[in-house]
Amino acid sequence: MSLYPQFSEKELFVNIDLSKDYETIKNSADKMILSASGWRKIFGENEESDSTIIREQDKVILATAGEIFFNYIKKRTGNAFPEIVVGIDSRPTGQGAAESVIRVLISLGCKIQYLHTCAAPEIMAYVKQKKLDGFIYISASHNPKGYNGIKFGNETGAVLGGEDSTMLIDTFKKEILDKGKISAIVKLLNSADIKKLSDIAEKQKIWKKESYASYLDFNLRIARPDLSSAENIIEKLLLETGSCENLGIVGDLNGSARCTSIDEEFFKTLGIKSKFINTTPGKIISPILPEGKNLSLCKKEFEKAYKTDNSFIMGYMPDNDGDRGNLVYINSEGANAGEAEILKAQELFALTCFAELLFITDSGIAGNKKIAVVVNDPTSTRIEKIAHQFGASVFRAEVGEANVVNLALKLINEGVFVRYLGEGSNGGSITLPATVRDPLNTISSIARLLNTKKAKSIDSLLKTLPQFTTTETDDPLAKMVIKTEDHGILKNRYEEVFLLEWETKKKYLEEKADIVSWEEINYMQTDAVTGMGSSIRGKKTKGGLKILFKDKQGVEKGFIWMRGSGTEPVFRVMADIEGENNPLERYLLNWQREMIEKADSAG
């Protein structure tokens, strides 16, 4: 893909006859998955398509989304001509999708900065640092390259969640059914000033340079908060001997948006040596989701680097928008010593959580404030065990980065100290003041931990953490397809099934895991409500439902969990239980699946 914008010079950008083609637009919009995590669908010919072409109906859908967001920002800021930053990840349809959005924004009088290909954390840090009005980021995150979509955010640099996200989704559903509104959108697309489009293309390099510098400064201040007040933090760090010397990182950028970002300079400034592969944006070699076997090439290259230089202690691969990055590490002991291991998402999150809580307590940066960690509902119970070691509390929100961030901000406003948050289920860590997960923050946290503990390997650190066995998101049994469209009805039936099943299983669970009691928790955006029944959930029926198991002392032992995915047409399930390689995880997971199947077939 080109690193620079290539806009169409045609004034007739959309050639569509609404008297004939309106149903085509509506049918295509119906395929869009709409959630706080982003709006997405297949824009290519199939989910692995390399086509760069955006169909006429999809241009209209994208422009409608852009128009809705413009009106939201205009109302929020009170500015008739707000300034919105637009960026894309490196998937094939990114530039075409961005042009659809940019054209409608031009016609609406919006001030636009276009970064072209940039990592999601970069555009978000840039907006936050420069106090710009908002951003539109064209991406489908971890979905295959034939997908694309949109993430929206305001001046906070965070993806919209809660009521703001719901309002945009509801408005989109309404507008896409309004032929008059769609006709107006088509006119806006075809009346965009071509000269302004050309000016945006010319200035892209300047904006990208500014966002790069802003993001580097921002991330270095997160990595080294003790130097955050330094006027020139890069100069200060380069004058140091290097707190992370003798550490090396291998990065498989997999053609992602991180290919245009700060990774190499960030590590160099911290004194970390680095080696990168697959650094051409858009040249996607491995499947985009950075989990399991998809990290095989990263693992192979990391092992090669380690054999040459054993100071290379981590490898990482981001997803396409660059906000996720799971790790590989070297086994230092046993039969597999010297071989690379793919770090499981929940283990990665737990290790980073431990690193950050240790740093917070050792540095005293929390002062006298209560310390908290904020996570999503399927994060392993091991996080409570880790937090307890440091006298910290754990708060949980529904799946979705926006939900976790919003809960953290709410707690901060209440006087609680929060630095670390994220979603253990995918390994994604967020270190405030960042409002998005970032692999660079994760790696710098672990590098700091290795130095603090004088540890020679990641696996030695893992052995010191609480041991739990947790269903991974890429496990084939972690997904189900259900027939019941109304999740509220499904959950009501599930509760009836569970109450009967508990009576038959409780003796076995007590014998095998000292589990003697349970409680149900429903997670709805930033709320966690204990109790059963439709009155608990109200209209918020699509959140997570967890059965939390406890022992005789009321100590949490694990859980079973379920939630309909907001980004894929599947129902996600998992189990979490104390103990390393505990076979009870399979038992609980299969039991959970059986109960859901019974509830699904009861209608």
Side-chain angles (χ1 to χ4, degrees):
M1 66 179 292
S2 171
L3 286 176
Y4 307 109
Q6 295 176 323
F7 293 118
S8 167
E9 296 182 358
K10 296 178 181 178
E11 292 192 6
L12 183 63
F13 182 65
V14 177
N15 186 10
I16 200 163
D17 183 348
L18 290 180
S19 64
K20 299 177 182 177
D21 300 323
Y22 170 71
E23 286 300 317
T24 304
I25 296 171
K26 181 178 175 298
N27 290 338
S28 188
D30 286 342
K31 296 175 182 176
M32 184 81 86
I33 299 168
L34 305 169
S35 78
S37 300
W39 303 5
R40 63 196 73 180
K41 67 183 285 290
I42 296 175
F43 281 83
E45 296 165 359
N46 54 62
E47 67 174 25
E48 291 294 343
S49 173
D50 288 311
S51 174
T52 61
I53 296 171
I54 300 289
R55 292 180 285 261
E56 302 295 280
Q57 61 268 28
D58 289 336
K59 292 177 183 178
V60 176
I61 290 168
L62 290 159
T64 303
E67 182 261 352
I68 290 167
F69 181 69
F70 171 82
N71 289 330
Y72 160 81
I73 290 292
K74 186 168 72 169
K75 182 178 179 181
R76 179 182 175 86
T77 62
N79 185 352
F81 307 106
E83 189 164 16
I84 294 175
V85 185
V86 179
I88 64 175
D89 69 13
S90 69
R91 60 190 68 234
T93 52
Q95 173 60 24
E99 181 167 354
S100 301
V101 170
I102 289 171
R103 279 179 173 258
V104 80
L105 292 179
I106 287 173
S107 295
L108 290 166
C110 183
K111 296 176 185 176
I112 302 165
Q113 289 192 28
Y114 183 39
L115 306 183
H116 198 256
T117 308
C118 65
E122 179 176 328
I123 191 173
M124 296 175 195
Y126 181 53
V127 168
K128 184 182 180 75
Q129 289 273 81
K130 298 297 182 181
K131 296 180 172 59
L132 300 168
D133 293 319
F135 67 85
I136 293 175
Y137 187 63
I138 308 295
S139 171
S141 192
H142 60 275
N143 291 83
K145 60 186 175 181
Y147 280 80
N148 218 330
I150 302 182
K151 293 183 179 183
F152 306 101
N154 55 35
E155 78 286 348
T156 66
V159 173
L160 295 184
E163 294 180 2
D164 289 335
S165 173
T166 300
M167 182 273 292
L168 290 185
I169 290 171
D170 290 344
T171 305
F172 176 79
K173 289 178 177 178
K174 187 183 300 182
E175 287 200 4
I176 213 71
L177 296 175
D178 185 338
K179 283 188 179 181
K181 175 59 84 170
I182 296 303
S183 177
I185 293 292
V186 171
K187 289 178 182 178
L188 287 170
L189 280 170
N190 288 331
S191 62
D193 188 326
I194 302 299
K195 175 66 168 58
K196 289 183 178 178
L197 203 63
S198 178
D199 288 344
I200 288 170
E202 288 182 9
K203 293 177 181 176
Q204 180 269 336
K205 290 182 184 179
I206 297 171
W207 292 321
K208 173 60 178 162
K209 185 177 180 180
E210 289 179 356
S211 74
Y212 179 101
S214 179
Y215 180 41
L216 178 61
D217 181 81
F218 186 71
N219 263 18
L220 289 172
R221 292 179 191 279
I222 291 173
R224 290 291 304 272
D226 56 315
L227 296 177
S228 62
S229 60
E231 185 174 341
N232 190 333
I233 192 170
I234 297 176
E235 182 178 314
K236 178 68 175 174
L237 281 164
L238 290 175
L239 286 172
E240 292 188 351
T241 57
S243 60
C244 294
E245 72 179 330
N246 297 323
L247 292 183
I249 306 292
V250 172
D252 176 3
L253 300 187
N254 195 30
S256 71
R258 295 218 71 90
C259 295
T260 72
S261 204
I262 65 172
D263 298 39
E264 184 174 3
E265 188 171 356
F266 176 78
F267 293 134
K268 180 181 178 181
T269 307
L270 289 176
I272 300 173
K273 70 185 75 172
S274 59
K275 176 184 178 181
F276 293 96
I277 62 170
N278 298 325
T279 58
T280 302
K283 192 173 181 180
I284 302 165
I285 305 298
S286 302
I288 284 174
L289 182 65
E291 292 180 4
K293 63 182 180 181
N294 295 351
L295 279 85
S296 296
L297 184 56
C298 178
K299 177 181 173 182
K300 180 181 177 182
E301 291 297 320
F302 172 56
E303 283 180 338
K304 283 168 58 179
Y306 177 78
K307 287 176 182 177
T308 303
D309 180 352
N310 64 9
S311 68
F312 280 91
I313 44 81
M314 279 184 276
Y316 75 105
M317 187 183 93
D319 58 353
N320 201 257
D321 62 348
D323 63 356
R324 286 175 67 170
N326 288 4
L327 303 185
V328 296
Y329 66 97
I330 287 293
N331 276 309
S332 61
E333 300 174 0
N336 296 324
E339 294 182 9
E341 186 84 21
I342 297 170
L343 192 57
K344 294 178 181 178
Q346 298 274 8
E347 289 179 337
L348 171 61
F349 189 81
L351 186 62
T352 313
C353 180
F354 179 82
E356 282 299 319
L357 286 174
L358 180 64
F359 170 71
I360 291 166
T361 52
D362 280 358
S363 65
I365 59 174
N368 295 321
K369 291 182 177 180
K370 177 183 177 181
I371 301 169
V373 173
V374 181
V375 300
N376 68 358
D377 42 327
T379 297
S380 170
T381 315
R382 71 188 83 189
I383 293 301
E384 274 80 3
K385 302 283 186 182
I386 292 170
H388 180 71
Q389 296 176 29
F390 297 96
S393 301
V394 176
F395 292 83
R396 291 176 179 262
E398 183 186 347
V399 164
E401 194 170 88
N403 295 323
V404 175
V405 171
N406 285 339
L407 179 55
L409 296 177
K410 178 183 176 183
L411 290 168
I412 290 169
N413 288 335
E414 294 171 358
V416 179
F417 183 87
V418 183
R419 171 175 162 88
Y420 184 74
L421 55 145
E423 300 190 275
S425 51
N426 57 46
S429 299
I430 302 173
T431 310
L432 294 176
T435 50
V436 62
R437 56 197 171 186
D438 192 321
L440 301 188
N441 298 158
T442 299
I443 291 168
S444 60
S445 293
I446 295 175
R448 187 197 306 119
L449 178 63
L450 284 162
N451 279 298
T452 302
K453 290 289 189 179
K454 306 299 181 185
K456 295 182 179 179
S457 65
I458 287 176
D459 59 345
S460 65
L461 291 172
L462 288 172
K463 291 172 185 175
T464 68
L465 299 180
Q467 299 300 306
F468 275 73
T469 306
T470 311
T471 309
E472 291 293 310
T473 56
D474 62 346
D475 189 317
L477 295 181
K479 296 180 182 179
M480 299 179 67
V481 177
I482 59 170
K483 298 176 293 184
T484 309
E485 294 183 3
D486 188 322
H487 292 187
I489 292 174
L490 181 73
K491 288 174 181 176
N492 291 340
R493 294 176 190 158
Y494 170 86
E495 289 169 338
E496 293 175 2
V497 172
F498 173 77
L499 288 173
L500 294 172
E501 288 279 325
W502 168 254
E503 294 303 317
T504 66
K505 298 288 195 299
K506 63 183 182 181
K507 183 177 179 181
Y508 177 81
L509 293 173
E510 182 176 5
E511 291 174 352
K512 293 294 183 181
D514 196 27
I515 291 171
V516 300
S517 66
W518 60 272
E519 64 181 20
E520 179 182 320
I521 308 174
N522 285 270
Y523 297 91
M524 299 165 286
Q525 296 179 345
T526 59
D527 296 324
V529 184
T530 301
M532 302 184 84
S534 56
S535 61
I536 291 288
R537 290 179 284 274
K539 294 181 179 180
K540 297 179 180 178
T541 60
K542 292 192 175 182
L545 187 156
K546 176 189 290 182
I547 303 295
L548 181 64
F549 298 116
K550 299 182 180 183
D551 65 15
K552 294 181 180 69
Q553 287 73 42
V555 177
E556 299 170 357
K557 303 289 288 185
F559 60 78
I560 49 178
W561 172 88
M562 65 178 186
R563 179 182 180 269
S565 173
T567 58
E568 299 174 88
V570 297
F571 208 71
R572 293 194 175 275
V573 297
M574 66 171 287
D576 178 62
I577 189 69
E578 190 170 20
E580 184 178 8
N581 298 320
N582 191 337
L584 197 58
E585 180 268 338
R586 289 290 96 175
Y587 175 86
L588 291 172
L589 181 63
N590 285 316
W591 180 33
Q592 174 76 324
R593 291 176 61 89
E594 289 169 7
M595 288 190 289
I596 292 171
E597 287 171 356
K598 286 180 181 179
D600 191 36
S601 61

